[in-house]
Amino acid sequence: MASLMESYEQQFANLTAEITSKTVRIPNLTGAEKQTLSSNVEKLLDETRELLEQMDLEVLDLQPKDRNKYQTRLKSYRTELSKLEKALKQSRIAFSDEIQSRDELFGDDSYSTSADQKTRLLENSERMERGSKRLEEGYRIALETEQLGATILEDLSTQRESIQRSRDRLRETDSTLGRSSRILTGMMKR
């Protein structure tokens, strides 16, 4: 199962890389080319959503330890997908044909804007990857803490049982001593 999930993760990485590279190119295009590329990116986004749904189904069949790890990753992947969808919308809206034509008239260099966007997208992807790793590490620490807590509770339970047995023996001994003391007192009076 884990190898299947790794395969899905690889597909997700490939799809998101392709979406990112195409989204960055959209502002530099005009008319039909822009529309075609936008529609292509939409199809890739749909394919990515379907892949995440497949991953969701596979995660349900995993062992609890692996399931939690992959659920955390899926949450991160959904966040990344949402950011890619927003980036596509921004590239469509912020760089419409009219704005691009006006920029060309004023001599703005759209290539540097595209390069800046690509740089920002790459930085955001790296930041998300670091965040995912921190989440995984935090989750690992939480699991270790939970296991340690369970061990401590088990030890405390064992110690409690031992103390209760000792208390019961002490009460039994005390009652036996009380009877013995009465018997001795009775014998001394005779």
Side-chain angles (χ1 to χ4, degrees), residues 114-143:
S114 176
D116 291 343
Q117 282 183 336
K118 186 174 183 179
T119 302
R120 278 185 274 143
L121 282 171
L122 290 173
E123 287 172 356
N124 286 340
S125 294
E126 289 172 6
R127 197 174 305 131
M128 283 178 49
E129 183 66 29
R130 285 192 304 269
S132 294
K133 287 180 182 176
R134 275 184 269 164
L135 282 172
E136 288 175 15
E137 181 65 18
Y139 179 71
R140 185 187 61 77
I141 290 170
L143 284 178

Side-chain angles (χ1 to χ4, degrees), residues 175-186:
S175 70
T176 304
L177 282 176
R179 275 186 268 145
S180 298
S181 176
R182 277 184 253 132
I183 291 172
L184 281 175
T185 304

Side-chain angles (χ1 to χ4, degrees), residues 27-50:
N28 298 327
L29 302 174
T30 57
E33 290 177 327
K34 183 181 239 179
Q35 187 63 31
T36 303
L37 192 57
S38 292
S39 138
N40 189 308
V41 171
E42 278 293 339
K43 288 177 184 174
L44 289 171
L45 286 170
D46 288 339
E47 190 176 331
T48 305
R49 283 185 210 100
E50 289 174 13

Side-chain angles (χ1 to χ4, degrees), residues 51-66:
L51 180 64
L52 287 177
E53 288 175 12
Q54 282 294 328
M55 291 171 82
D56 267 334
L57 294 174
E58 288 299 323
V59 164
L60 296 175
D61 293 336
L62 295 174
Q63 297 295 325
K65 177 184 171 190
D66 291 335

